[in-house]
Amino acid sequence: MAVDTSPRSTTWTHVDGEWLPGNPPLIGPTSHAMWLGSTVFDGARWFDGIAPDLDLHCQRVNRSALAMGLKPVKSAEEIAALAWEGVAKFDGATAIYIKPMYWGEHGAPGSVVSVDAESTRFALCLFEAPMGRHGGTSLTVSPYRRPSPETAMTEAKTGSLYPNSGRMITEARSRGFDNALARDLNGNVVETASSNVFLVRDGIVMTPAANRTFLAGITRARVIGLLRKAGFDVVEATLSVEDFMKADEIFTTGNYSKVVGVTRLDDRDFQEGPVTRKALELYMDWAHGRSESEE
């Protein structure tokens, strides 16, 4: 029986100058991206009539393209304008995920493996995706590690990095947890399998220092700035699993759900604490324009 390739929610994709509904067939068996992984993407959110930091997400996908050896064919401004055009195709009742993408169609002359930058293609996909839960999530320390810049394309938000995240989540869920706490090759905590992570101890907020082994996200940076502006001491540092086990609070940040409290890390239970709630409040107030603009 053939697999149903239709999307699981209302979806519109802009490619080659037109908007197409559903899941248009864009990559074939000889496409470089299909078998050699030359894909990059980014993800912004639209909800409540707003798209926080859309411009930064559009800028980052172009940086990811360059890191992959692709050629950005749209400016960040053009991508953002298309995103708003796409948003207008939805009924506005459900939050939307905004996903600009680049990929390579051919290998470089004289090389099957290296991508030909001149064959870069672009698509912008928007689909309905309700905002993630804010009621708490559980984590376990993953046996798998994040690669270093010498071993993987960590400078780009590329699809080729996500199978490693996927196996982290699958393994964690096999043991009854929602997600996994990921470490780098040196054993230091860097993020979860799908989001950035913070801890709070004695009123001080701490998050793993950006060491190029993980994506130091746009929402992460926004939350750091908002917390500091609100008077919190926020420190980026090298952190161990033990640091997280001794924390008063743990929370995650990411584009998909923004700020989510952690209620369990392996055999330790946590409460969603006041700093976690304040971080979400500050972010949502900023996003809705209820606070002063954060530079």
Side-chain angles (χ1 to χ4, degrees), residues 250-287:
I250 300 175
F251 64 90
T252 67
T253 63
N255 178 60
Y256 216 87
S257 302
K258 303 310 179 186
V259 179
V260 176
V262 172
T263 55
R264 181 164 61 116
L265 172 57
D266 282 331
D267 59 358
R268 183 170 167 206
D269 292 329
F270 292 84
Q271 297 295 320
E272 185 181 88
V275 179
T276 301
R277 291 191 293 271
K278 187 64 175 178
L280 178 59
E281 177 188 333
L282 288 169
Y283 182 88
M284 288 302 180
D285 281 349
W286 166 79

PDB file of all heavy atoms in Angstrom, residues 250-287:
ATOM      1  N   ILE A 250      14.261  24.065  36.097  1.00  0.00           N
ATOM      2  CA  ILE A 250      14.798  23.866  34.751  1.00  0.00           C
ATOM      3  C   ILE A 250      13.697  24.239  33.767  1.00  0.00           C
ATOM      4  O   ILE A 250      12.529  23.893  33.975  1.00  0.00           O
ATOM      5  CB  ILE A 250      15.235  22.408  34.507  1.00  0.00           C
ATOM      6  CG1 ILE A 250      16.323  21.984  35.506  1.00  0.00           C
ATOM      7  CG2 ILE A 250      15.749  22.228  33.085  1.00  0.00           C
ATOM      8  CD1 ILE A 250      16.699  20.509  35.393  1.00  0.00           C
ATOM      9  N   PHE A 251      14.063  24.945  32.713  1.00  0.00           N
ATOM     10  CA  PHE A 251      13.098  25.213  31.650  1.00  0.00           C
ATOM     11  C   PHE A 251      13.794  25.197  30.297  1.00  0.00           C
ATOM     12  O   PHE A 251      15.025  25.301  30.204  1.00  0.00           O
ATOM     13  CB  PHE A 251      12.336  26.528  31.867  1.00  0.00           C
ATOM     14  CG  PHE A 251      13.172  27.784  31.847  1.00  0.00           C
ATOM     15  CD1 PHE A 251      13.405  28.474  30.658  1.00  0.00           C
ATOM     16  CD2 PHE A 251      13.691  28.306  33.020  1.00  0.00           C
ATOM     17  CE1 PHE A 251      14.143  29.653  30.641  1.00  0.00           C
ATOM     18  CE2 PHE A 251      14.437  29.488  33.023  1.00  0.00           C
ATOM     19  CZ  PHE A 251      14.666  30.159  31.829  1.00  0.00           C
ATOM     20  N   THR A 252      13.010  25.030  29.258  1.00  0.00           N
ATOM     21  CA  THR A 252      13.543  24.995  27.899  1.00  0.00           C
ATOM     22  C   THR A 252      12.982  26.163  27.097  1.00  0.00           C
ATOM     23  O   THR A 252      11.925  26.712  27.412  1.00  0.00           O
ATOM     24  CB  THR A 252      13.185  23.681  27.182  1.00  0.00           C
ATOM     25  OG1 THR A 252      11.769  23.621  26.960  1.00  0.00           O
ATOM     26  CG2 THR A 252      13.636  22.479  27.985  1.00  0.00           C
ATOM     27  N   THR A 253      13.721  26.545  26.068  1.00  0.00           N
ATOM     28  CA  THR A 253      13.235  27.564  25.139  1.00  0.00           C
ATOM     29  C   THR A 253      13.400  27.052  23.716  1.00  0.00           C
ATOM     30  O   THR A 253      14.326  26.305  23.404  1.00  0.00           O
ATOM     31  CB  THR A 253      14.005  28.892  25.276  1.00  0.00           C
ATOM     32  OG1 THR A 253      15.385  28.685  24.929  1.00  0.00           O
ATOM     33  CG2 THR A 253      13.903  29.450  26.673  1.00  0.00           C
ATOM     34  N   GLY A 254      12.491  27.451  22.876  1.00  0.00           N
ATOM     35  CA  GLY A 254      12.561  27.057  21.479  1.00  0.00           C
ATOM     36  C   GLY A 254      11.443  27.712  20.703  1.00  0.00           C
ATOM     37  O   GLY A 254      10.450  28.166  21.285  1.00  0.00           O
ATOM     38  N   ASN A 255      11.592  27.734  19.406  1.00  0.00           N
ATOM     39  CA  ASN A 255      10.599  28.399  18.582  1.00  0.00           C
ATOM     40  C   ASN A 255       9.237  27.709  18.641  1.00  0.00           C
ATOM     41  O   ASN A 255       8.203  28.356  18.567  1.00  0.00           O
ATOM     42  CB  ASN A 255      11.083  28.462  17.132  1.00  0.00           C
ATOM     43  CG  ASN A 255      10.061  29.100  16.227  1.00  0.00           C
ATOM     44  OD1 ASN A 255       9.685  30.244  16.427  1.00  0.00           O
ATOM     45  ND2 ASN A 255       9.588  28.355  15.249  1.00  0.00           N
ATOM     46  N   TYR A 256       9.240  26.392  18.785  1.00  0.00           N
ATOM     47  CA  TYR A 256       7.978  25.676  18.686  1.00  0.00           C
ATOM     48  C   TYR A 256       7.042  25.972  19.850  1.00  0.00           C
ATOM     49  O   TYR A 256       5.846  26.174  19.666  1.00  0.00           O
ATOM     50  CB  TYR A 256       8.222  24.174  18.580  1.00  0.00           C
ATOM     51  CG  TYR A 256       7.243  23.486  17.669  1.00  0.00           C
ATOM     52  CD1 TYR A 256       7.490  23.393  16.300  1.00  0.00           C
ATOM     53  CD2 TYR A 256       6.052  22.958  18.151  1.00  0.00           C
ATOM     54  CE1 TYR A 256       6.587  22.779  15.446  1.00  0.00           C
ATOM     55  CE2 TYR A 256       5.144  22.346  17.305  1.00  0.00           C
ATOM     56  CZ  TYR A 256       5.410  22.265  15.954  1.00  0.00           C
ATOM     57  OH  TYR A 256       4.503  21.671  15.112  1.00  0.00           O
ATOM     58  N   SER A 257       7.576  26.007  21.082  1.00  0.00           N
ATOM     59  CA  SER A 257       6.724  26.209  22.256  1.00  0.00           C
ATOM     60  C   SER A 257       7.145  27.390  23.111  1.00  0.00           C
ATOM     61  O   SER A 257       6.529  27.658  24.144  1.00  0.00           O
ATOM     62  CB  SER A 257       6.719  24.945  23.121  1.00  0.00           C
ATOM     63  OG  SER A 257       6.266  23.834  22.390  1.00  0.00           O
ATOM     64  N   LYS A 258       8.215  28.071  22.723  1.00  0.00           N
ATOM     65  CA  LYS A 258       8.733  29.260  23.406  1.00  0.00           C
ATOM     66  C   LYS A 258       9.374  28.915  24.750  1.00  0.00           C
ATOM     67  O   LYS A 258      10.563  28.718  24.800  1.00  0.00           O
ATOM     68  CB  LYS A 258       7.644  30.339  23.543  1.00  0.00           C
ATOM     69  CG  LYS A 258       7.045  30.756  22.197  1.00  0.00           C
ATOM     70  CD  LYS A 258       8.115  31.100  21.166  1.00  0.00           C
ATOM     71  CE  LYS A 258       7.535  31.494  19.834  1.00  0.00           C
ATOM     72  NZ  LYS A 258       8.589  31.694  18.802  1.00  0.00           N
ATOM     73  N   VAL A 259       8.651  28.831  25.847  1.00  0.00           N
ATOM     74  CA  VAL A 259       9.223  28.528  27.159  1.00  0.00           C
ATOM     75  C   VAL A 259       8.393  27.416  27.812  1.00  0.00           C
ATOM     76  O   VAL A 259       7.178  27.545  27.935  1.00  0.00           O
ATOM     77  CB  VAL A 259       9.238  29.766  28.079  1.00  0.00           C
ATOM     78  CG1 VAL A 259       9.822  29.409  29.445  1.00  0.00           C
ATOM     79  CG2 VAL A 259      10.032  30.913  27.442  1.00  0.00           C
ATOM     80  N   VAL A 260       9.085  26.336  28.211  1.00  0.00           N
ATOM     81  CA  VAL A 260       8.392  25.200  28.816  1.00  0.00           C
ATOM     82  C   VAL A 260       9.162  24.764  30.063  1.00  0.00           C
ATOM     83  O   VAL A 260      10.380  24.559  30.012  1.00  0.00           O
ATOM     84  CB  VAL A 260       8.289  24.009  27.835  1.00  0.00           C
ATOM     85  CG1 VAL A 260       7.641  22.806  28.517  1.00  0.00           C
ATOM     86  CG2 VAL A 260       7.497  24.407  26.594  1.00  0.00           C
ATOM     87  N   GLY A 261       8.448  24.600  31.171  1.00  0.00           N
ATOM     88  CA  GLY A 261       9.072  24.128  32.397  1.00  0.00           C
ATOM     89  C   GLY A 261       9.352  22.635  32.351  1.00  0.00           C
ATOM     90  O   GLY A 261       8.630  21.868  31.703  1.00  0.00           O
ATOM     91  N   VAL A 262      10.400  22.218  33.030  1.00  0.00           N
ATOM     92  CA  VAL A 262      10.749  20.799  33.151  1.00  0.00           C
ATOM     93  C   VAL A 262      10.258  20.313  34.518  1.00  0.00           C
ATOM     94  O   VAL A 262      10.562  20.923  35.543  1.00  0.00           O
ATOM     95  CB  VAL A 262      12.261  20.582  33.013  1.00  0.00           C
ATOM     96  CG1 VAL A 262      12.650  19.137  33.333  1.00  0.00           C
ATOM     97  CG2 VAL A 262      12.712  20.950  31.599  1.00  0.00           C
ATOM     98  N   THR A 263       9.493  19.235  34.519  1.00  0.00           N
ATOM     99  CA  THR A 263       8.935  18.714  35.770  1.00  0.00           C
ATOM    100  C   THR A 263       9.652  17.469  36.268  1.00  0.00           C
ATOM    101  O   THR A 263       9.438  17.060  37.408  1.00  0.00           O
ATOM    102  CB  THR A 263       7.442  18.383  35.584  1.00  0.00           C
ATOM    103  OG1 THR A 263       7.297  17.471  34.476  1.00  0.00           O
ATOM    104  CG2 THR A 263       6.641  19.643  35.295  1.00  0.00           C
ATOM    105  N   ARG A 264      10.523  16.876  35.428  1.00  0.00           N
ATOM    106  CA  ARG A 264      11.284  15.705  35.865  1.00  0.00           C
ATOM    107  C   ARG A 264      12.560  15.584  35.058  1.00  0.00           C
ATOM    108  O   ARG A 264      12.550  15.769  33.842  1.00  0.00           O
ATOM    109  CB  ARG A 264      10.441  14.433  35.715  1.00  0.00           C
ATOM    110  CG  ARG A 264      11.158  13.149  36.174  1.00  0.00           C
ATOM    111  CD  ARG A 264      10.177  11.997  36.384  1.00  0.00           C
ATOM    112  NE  ARG A 264       9.452  11.639  35.181  1.00  0.00           N
ATOM    113  CZ  ARG A 264       9.559  10.442  34.566  1.00  0.00           C
ATOM    114  NH1 ARG A 264      10.352   9.507  35.050  1.00  0.00           N
ATOM    115  NH2 ARG A 264       8.853  10.189  33.488  1.00  0.00           N
ATOM    116  N   LEU A 265      13.659  15.314  35.728  1.00  0.00           N
ATOM    117  CA  LEU A 265      14.931  14.979  35.092  1.00  0.00           C
ATOM    118  C   LEU A 265      15.409  13.679  35.719  1.00  0.00           C
ATOM    119  O   LEU A 265      15.784  13.644  36.897  1.00  0.00           O
ATOM    120  CB  LEU A 265      15.966  16.086  35.281  1.00  0.00           C
ATOM    121  CG  LEU A 265      17.398  15.750  34.810  1.00  0.00           C
ATOM    122  CD1 LEU A 265      17.414  15.349  33.330  1.00  0.00           C
ATOM    123  CD2 LEU A 265      18.340  16.927  35.050  1.00  0.00           C
ATOM    124  N   ASP A 266      15.340  12.611  34.941  1.00  0.00           N
ATOM    125  CA  ASP A 266      15.634  11.266  35.439  1.00  0.00           C
ATOM    126  C   ASP A 266      14.854  10.995  36.727  1.00  0.00           C
ATOM    127  O   ASP A 266      13.635  11.037  36.707  1.00  0.00           O
ATOM    128  CB  ASP A 266      17.141  11.068  35.596  1.00  0.00           C
ATOM    129  CG  ASP A 266      17.805  10.791  34.240  1.00  0.00           C
ATOM    130  OD1 ASP A 266      17.127  10.231  33.359  1.00  0.00           O
ATOM    131  OD2 ASP A 266      18.970  11.156  34.052  1.00  0.00           O
ATOM    132  N   ASP A 267      15.510  10.775  37.856  1.00  0.00           N
ATOM    133  CA  ASP A 267      14.757  10.401  39.059  1.00  0.00           C
ATOM    134  C   ASP A 267      14.463  11.574  39.980  1.00  0.00           C
ATOM    135  O   ASP A 267      14.049  11.396  41.117  1.00  0.00           O
ATOM    136  CB  ASP A 267      15.508   9.314  39.840  1.00  0.00           C
ATOM    137  CG  ASP A 267      16.902   9.753  40.271  1.00  0.00           C
ATOM    138  OD1 ASP A 267      17.307  10.888  39.945  1.00  0.00           O
ATOM    139  OD2 ASP A 267      17.594   8.940  40.917  1.00  0.00           O
ATOM    140  N   ARG A 268      14.640  12.795  39.473  1.00  0.00           N
ATOM    141  CA  ARG A 268      14.333  13.966  40.297  1.00  0.00           C
ATOM    142  C   ARG A 268      13.146  14.724  39.735  1.00  0.00           C
ATOM    143  O   ARG A 268      13.076  15.004  38.529  1.00  0.00           O
ATOM    144  CB  ARG A 268      15.535  14.909  40.373  1.00  0.00           C
ATOM    145  CG  ARG A 268      15.160  16.043  41.309  1.00  0.00           C
ATOM    146  CD  ARG A 268      16.216  16.966  41.732  1.00  0.00           C
ATOM    147  NE  ARG A 268      15.543  18.101  42.350  1.00  0.00           N
ATOM    148  CZ  ARG A 268      16.037  19.313  42.420  1.00  0.00           C
ATOM    149  NH1 ARG A 268      17.228  19.585  41.937  1.00  0.00           N
ATOM    150  NH2 ARG A 268      15.354  20.279  42.989  1.00  0.00           N
ATOM    151  N   ASP A 269      12.203  15.051  40.594  1.00  0.00           N
ATOM    152  CA  ASP A 269      11.033  15.831  40.198  1.00  0.00           C
ATOM    153  C   ASP A 269      11.278  17.313  40.467  1.00  0.00           C
ATOM    154  O   ASP A 269      11.966  17.690  41.422  1.00  0.00           O
ATOM    155  CB  ASP A 269       9.797  15.382  40.980  1.00  0.00           C
ATOM    156  CG  ASP A 269       9.355  13.984  40.610  1.00  0.00           C
ATOM    157  OD1 ASP A 269       9.558  13.590  39.444  1.00  0.00           O
ATOM    158  OD2 ASP A 269       8.832  13.261  41.488  1.00  0.00           O
ATOM    159  N   PHE A 270      10.682  18.156  39.615  1.00  0.00           N
ATOM    160  CA  PHE A 270      10.779  19.603  39.747  1.00  0.00           C
ATOM    161  C   PHE A 270       9.385  20.207  39.702  1.00  0.00           C
ATOM    162  O   PHE A 270       8.460  19.625  39.130  1.00  0.00           O
ATOM    163  CB  PHE A 270      11.602  20.209  38.606  1.00  0.00           C
ATOM    164  CG  PHE A 270      13.059  19.863  38.636  1.00  0.00           C
ATOM    165  CD1 PHE A 270      13.510  18.669  38.097  1.00  0.00           C
ATOM    166  CD2 PHE A 270      13.991  20.726  39.191  1.00  0.00           C
ATOM    167  CE1 PHE A 270      14.861  18.342  38.113  1.00  0.00           C
ATOM    168  CE2 PHE A 270      15.334  20.415  39.218  1.00  0.00           C
ATOM    169  CZ  PHE A 270      15.778  19.216  38.677  1.00  0.00           C
ATOM    170  N   GLN A 271       9.255  21.382  40.283  1.00  0.00           N
ATOM    171  CA  GLN A 271       8.054  22.193  40.133  1.00  0.00           C
ATOM    172  C   GLN A 271       8.330  23.280  39.099  1.00  0.00           C
ATOM    173  O   GLN A 271       9.463  23.742  38.971  1.00  0.00           O
ATOM    174  CB  GLN A 271       7.672  22.842  41.461  1.00  0.00           C
ATOM    175  CG  GLN A 271       7.312  21.859  42.552  1.00  0.00           C
ATOM    176  CD  GLN A 271       6.057  21.072  42.235  1.00  0.00           C
ATOM    177  OE1 GLN A 271       5.090  21.621  41.701  1.00  0.00           O
ATOM    178  NE2 GLN A 271       6.055  19.790  42.556  1.00  0.00           N
ATOM    179  N   GLU A 272       7.293  23.661  38.352  1.00  0.00           N
ATOM    180  CA  GLU A 272       7.457  24.815  37.469  1.00  0.00           C
ATOM    181  C   GLU A 272       7.545  26.049  38.360  1.00  0.00           C
ATOM    182  O   GLU A 272       6.575  26.448  38.983  1.00  0.00           O
ATOM    183  CB  GLU A 272       6.298  24.936  36.498  1.00  0.00           C
ATOM    184  CG  GLU A 272       6.487  26.060  35.490  1.00  0.00           C
ATOM    185  CD  GLU A 272       5.314  26.203  34.541  1.00  0.00           C
ATOM    186  OE1 GLU A 272       4.367  26.935  34.903  1.00  0.00           O
ATOM    187  OE2 GLU A 272       5.328  25.584  33.460  1.00  0.00           O
ATOM    188  N   GLY A 273       8.720  26.649  38.428  1.00  0.00           N
ATOM    189  CA  GLY A 273       8.971  27.700  39.397  1.00  0.00           C
ATOM    190  C   GLY A 273       8.693  29.098  38.895  1.00  0.00           C
ATOM    191  O   GLY A 273       8.307  29.312  37.742  1.00  0.00           O
ATOM    192  N   PRO A 274       8.918  30.090  39.753  1.00  0.00           N
ATOM    193  CA  PRO A 274       8.588  31.480  39.420  1.00  0.00           C
ATOM    194  C   PRO A 274       9.430  32.063  38.295  1.00  0.00           C
ATOM    195  O   PRO A 274       8.933  32.895  37.542  1.00  0.00           O
ATOM    196  CB  PRO A 274       8.838  32.221  40.742  1.00  0.00           C
ATOM    197  CG  PRO A 274       9.783  31.347  41.509  1.00  0.00           C
ATOM    198  CD  PRO A 274       9.420  29.943  41.139  1.00  0.00           C
ATOM    199  N   VAL A 275      10.670  31.641  38.170  1.00  0.00           N
ATOM    200  CA  VAL A 275      11.508  32.186  37.093  1.00  0.00           C
ATOM    201  C   VAL A 275      11.036  31.653  35.742  1.00  0.00           C
ATOM    202  O   VAL A 275      10.986  32.388  34.747  1.00  0.00           O
ATOM    203  CB  VAL A 275      12.990  31.866  37.333  1.00  0.00           C
ATOM    204  CG1 VAL A 275      13.844  32.429  36.193  1.00  0.00           C
ATOM    205  CG2 VAL A 275      13.460  32.444  38.660  1.00  0.00           C
ATOM    206  N   THR A 276      10.674  30.384  35.704  1.00  0.00           N
ATOM    207  CA  THR A 276      10.127  29.803  34.474  1.00  0.00           C
ATOM    208  C   THR A 276       8.876  30.551  34.038  1.00  0.00           C
ATOM    209  O   THR A 276       8.731  30.925  32.862  1.00  0.00           O
ATOM    210  CB  THR A 276       9.808  28.316  34.683  1.00  0.00           C
ATOM    211  OG1 THR A 276      11.001  27.617  35.060  1.00  0.00           O
ATOM    212  CG2 THR A 276       9.230  27.700  33.420  1.00  0.00           C
ATOM    213  N   ARG A 277       7.973  30.764  34.984  1.00  0.00           N
ATOM    214  CA  ARG A 277       6.730  31.480  34.651  1.00  0.00           C
ATOM    215  C   ARG A 277       7.028  32.912  34.221  1.00  0.00           C
ATOM    216  O   ARG A 277       6.397  33.440  33.302  1.00  0.00           O
ATOM    217  CB  ARG A 277       5.781  31.457  35.860  1.00  0.00           C
ATOM    218  CG  ARG A 277       5.225  30.065  36.168  1.00  0.00           C
ATOM    219  CD  ARG A 277       4.096  30.132  37.182  1.00  0.00           C
ATOM    220  NE  ARG A 277       4.558  30.549  38.496  1.00  0.00           N
ATOM    221  CZ  ARG A 277       4.998  29.724  39.431  1.00  0.00           C
ATOM    222  NH1 ARG A 277       5.057  28.420  39.195  1.00  0.00           N
ATOM    223  NH2 ARG A 277       5.381  30.185  40.615  1.00  0.00           N
ATOM    224  N   LYS A 278       8.000  33.540  34.859  1.00  0.00           N
ATOM    225  CA  LYS A 278       8.351  34.909  34.509  1.00  0.00           C
ATOM    226  C   LYS A 278       8.974  34.967  33.120  1.00  0.00           C
ATOM    227  O   LYS A 278       8.698  35.906  32.353  1.00  0.00           O
ATOM    228  CB  LYS A 278       9.328  35.486  35.544  1.00  0.00           C
ATOM    229  CG  LYS A 278       9.623  36.971  35.348  1.00  0.00           C
ATOM    230  CD  LYS A 278       8.377  37.827  35.545  1.00  0.00           C
ATOM    231  CE  LYS A 278       8.684  39.301  35.481  1.00  0.00           C
ATOM    232  NZ  LYS A 278       7.469  40.129  35.633  1.00  0.00           N
ATOM    233  N   ALA A 279       9.793  33.990  32.775  1.00  0.00           N
ATOM    234  CA  ALA A 279      10.410  33.969  31.450  1.00  0.00           C
ATOM    235  C   ALA A 279       9.347  33.887  30.356  1.00  0.00           C
ATOM    236  O   ALA A 279       9.407  34.605  29.340  1.00  0.00           O
ATOM    237  CB  ALA A 279      11.385  32.797  31.336  1.00  0.00           C
ATOM    238  N   LEU A 280       8.340  33.033  30.559  1.00  0.00           N
ATOM    239  CA  LEU A 280       7.260  32.925  29.579  1.00  0.00           C
ATOM    240  C   LEU A 280       6.453  34.216  29.524  1.00  0.00           C
ATOM    241  O   LEU A 280       6.115  34.706  28.435  1.00  0.00           O
ATOM    242  CB  LEU A 280       6.352  31.744  29.922  1.00  0.00           C
ATOM    243  CG  LEU A 280       5.150  31.538  28.997  1.00  0.00           C
ATOM    244  CD1 LEU A 280       5.588  31.319  27.557  1.00  0.00           C
ATOM    245  CD2 LEU A 280       4.297  30.365  29.492  1.00  0.00           C
ATOM    246  N   GLU A 281       6.160  34.778  30.682  1.00  0.00           N
ATOM    247  CA  GLU A 281       5.407  36.033  30.741  1.00  0.00           C
ATOM    248  C   GLU A 281       6.153  37.157  30.019  1.00  0.00           C
ATOM    249  O   GLU A 281       5.562  37.909  29.237  1.00  0.00           O
ATOM    250  CB  GLU A 281       5.163  36.421  32.192  1.00  0.00           C
ATOM    251  CG  GLU A 281       4.454  37.761  32.379  1.00  0.00           C
ATOM    252  CD  GLU A 281       4.414  38.194  33.832  1.00  0.00           C
ATOM    253  OE1 GLU A 281       4.441  37.324  34.731  1.00  0.00           O
ATOM    254  OE2 GLU A 281       4.374  39.414  34.081  1.00  0.00           O
ATOM    255  N   LEU A 282       7.437  37.269  30.291  1.00  0.00           N
ATOM    256  CA  LEU A 282       8.240  38.318  29.651  1.00  0.00           C
ATOM    257  C   LEU A 282       8.259  38.141  28.139  1.00  0.00           C
ATOM    258  O   LEU A 282       8.139  39.111  27.390  1.00  0.00           O
ATOM    259  CB  LEU A 282       9.669  38.295  30.198  1.00  0.00           C
ATOM    260  CG  LEU A 282       9.869  38.799  31.628  1.00  0.00           C
ATOM    261  CD1 LEU A 282      11.269  38.451  32.110  1.00  0.00           C
ATOM    262  CD2 LEU A 282       9.638  40.304  31.713  1.00  0.00           C
ATOM    263  N   TYR A 283       8.413  36.885  27.697  1.00  0.00           N
ATOM    264  CA  TYR A 283       8.457  36.642  26.254  1.00  0.00           C
ATOM    265  C   TYR A 283       7.127  37.005  25.602  1.00  0.00           C
ATOM    266  O   TYR A 283       7.099  37.698  24.574  1.00  0.00           O
ATOM    267  CB  TYR A 283       8.798  35.178  25.948  1.00  0.00           C
ATOM    268  CG  TYR A 283       8.895  34.941  24.460  1.00  0.00           C
ATOM    269  CD1 TYR A 283      10.085  35.140  23.782  1.00  0.00           C
ATOM    270  CD2 TYR A 283       7.766  34.591  23.726  1.00  0.00           C
ATOM    271  CE1 TYR A 283      10.162  34.977  22.411  1.00  0.00           C
ATOM    272  CE2 TYR A 283       7.831  34.432  22.348  1.00  0.00           C
ATOM    273  CZ  TYR A 283       9.034  34.620  21.702  1.00  0.00           C
ATOM    274  OH  TYR A 283       9.087  34.478  20.330  1.00  0.00           O
ATOM    275  N   MET A 284       6.040  36.549  26.170  1.00  0.00           N
ATOM    276  CA  MET A 284       4.741  36.809  25.561  1.00  0.00           C
ATOM    277  C   MET A 284       4.387  38.294  25.618  1.00  0.00           C
ATOM    278  O   MET A 284       3.800  38.832  24.667  1.00  0.00           O
ATOM    279  CB  MET A 284       3.665  35.965  26.241  1.00  0.00           C
ATOM    280  CG  MET A 284       3.768  34.489  25.893  1.00  0.00           C
ATOM    281  SD  MET A 284       3.653  34.197  24.090  1.00  0.00           S
ATOM    282  CE  MET A 284       3.814  32.409  24.033  1.00  0.00           C
ATOM    283  N   ASP A 285       4.747  38.970  26.690  1.00  0.00           N
ATOM    284  CA  ASP A 285       4.512  40.415  26.754  1.00  0.00           C
ATOM    285  C   ASP A 285       5.304  41.130  25.667  1.00  0.00           C
ATOM    286  O   ASP A 285       4.786  42.038  25.001  1.00  0.00           O
ATOM    287  CB  ASP A 285       4.912  40.954  28.132  1.00  0.00           C
ATOM    288  CG  ASP A 285       3.864  40.675  29.197  1.00  0.00           C
ATOM    289  OD1 ASP A 285       2.746  40.249  28.840  1.00  0.00           O
ATOM    290  OD2 ASP A 285       4.165  40.874  30.390  1.00  0.00           O
ATOM    291  N   TRP A 286       6.565  40.735  25.504  1.00  0.00           N
ATOM    292  CA  TRP A 286       7.377  41.349  24.437  1.00  0.00           C
ATOM    293  C   TRP A 286       6.776  41.055  23.063  1.00  0.00           C
ATOM    294  O   TRP A 286       6.629  41.957  22.236  1.00  0.00           O
ATOM    295  CB  TRP A 286       8.815  40.822  24.501  1.00  0.00           C
ATOM    296  CG  TRP A 286       9.574  41.157  23.261  1.00  0.00           C
ATOM    297  CD1 TRP A 286      10.152  42.346  22.931  1.00  0.00           C
ATOM    298  CD2 TRP A 286       9.753  40.293  22.124  1.00  0.00           C
ATOM    299  NE1 TRP A 286      10.692  42.279  21.658  1.00  0.00           N
ATOM    300  CE2 TRP A 286      10.460  41.035  21.151  1.00  0.00           C
ATOM    301  CE3 TRP A 286       9.394  38.971  21.843  1.00  0.00           C
ATOM    302  CZ2 TRP A 286      10.813  40.495  19.919  1.00  0.00           C
ATOM    303  CZ3 TRP A 286       9.740  38.427  20.612  1.00  0.00           C
ATOM    304  CH2 TRP A 286      10.447  39.194  19.667  1.00  0.00           C
ATOM    305  N   ALA A 287       6.427  39.799  22.820  1.00  0.00           N
ATOM    306  CA  ALA A 287       5.904  39.397  21.501  1.00  0.00           C
ATOM    307  C   ALA A 287       4.633  40.151  21.146  1.00  0.00           C
ATOM    308  O   ALA A 287       4.407  40.509  19.984  1.00  0.00           O
ATOM    309  CB  ALA A 287       5.659  37.891  21.481  1.00  0.00           C
TER     310      ALA A 287
END
